[in-house]
Structure formats: structure tokens, C-alpha cells
Amino acid sequence: MKGLYIHIPFCVKKCDYCDFISFSGCDKYFGEYTDALIREMDEYRGECIDTVFIGGGTPSILPKELTKKICDA
């Protein structure tokens, strides 16, 4: 089995201690990033995945419609 990590690189504010790739003030890219993420996920269609972890950044910063779109994909 394989695990899948989905990185949402957006935050309200970049914390000084954070070493992860994340950006604040990039709300205008949420939709574009989501679409690119789904295209990349399509490359792995058919893989047997037993665990999905969504991290970041702050994944909850995405509008619920985009989070649903990712989960549905």
C-alpha cells in the first residue's frame, strides 16, 4: 500500500519557524493550484493508496468548494 501527501502551500501568514514551502497573500492562485494538483493526481490514477494526508501551509485556508474538488478527484 502507498500513502499520498497533498501539500497546500498557502497560509494567512508565514510563520517565522516554518520550514515548509508556503506563501501568504496568494488567494488568487487557489483555483489554479487546485486544478494543477488534480492534473498531477490524474497521473497516479489506478494506484492503490491506503492513506491520504493533506498538509501545508494551512490546508483549511482553501474555500470548501476547492477542498471538495480535491477530495472528489
Side-chain angles (χ1 to χ4, degrees):
M1 295 289 198
K2 296 179 182 177
L4 173 67
Y5 173 71
I6 298 173
H7 187 74
I8 307 298
F10 305 111
C11 293
V12 173
K13 173 185 152 319
K14 177 72 173 175
C15 297
D16 294 333
Y17 60 83
C18 181
D19 289 332
F20 296 104
I21 299 292
S22 61
F23 309 95
S24 62
C26 294
D27 302 23
K28 66 182 179 181
Y29 297 112
F30 288 176
E32 186 178 337
Y33 182 81
T34 298
D35 292 341
L37 176 62
I38 290 170
R39 283 193 303 275
E40 185 172 347
M41 288 167 58
D42 282 342
E43 295 178 28
Y44 297 93
R45 192 162 302 283
E47 293 284 335
C48 188
I49 295 171
D50 65 344
T51 303
V52 177
F53 179 78
I54 301 176
T58 308
S60 61
I61 198 171
L62 287 182
K64 63 182 175 185
E65 297 80 19
L66 292 180
T67 301
K68 182 179 183 332
K69 189 174 180 179
I70 292 168
C71 291
D72 289 347

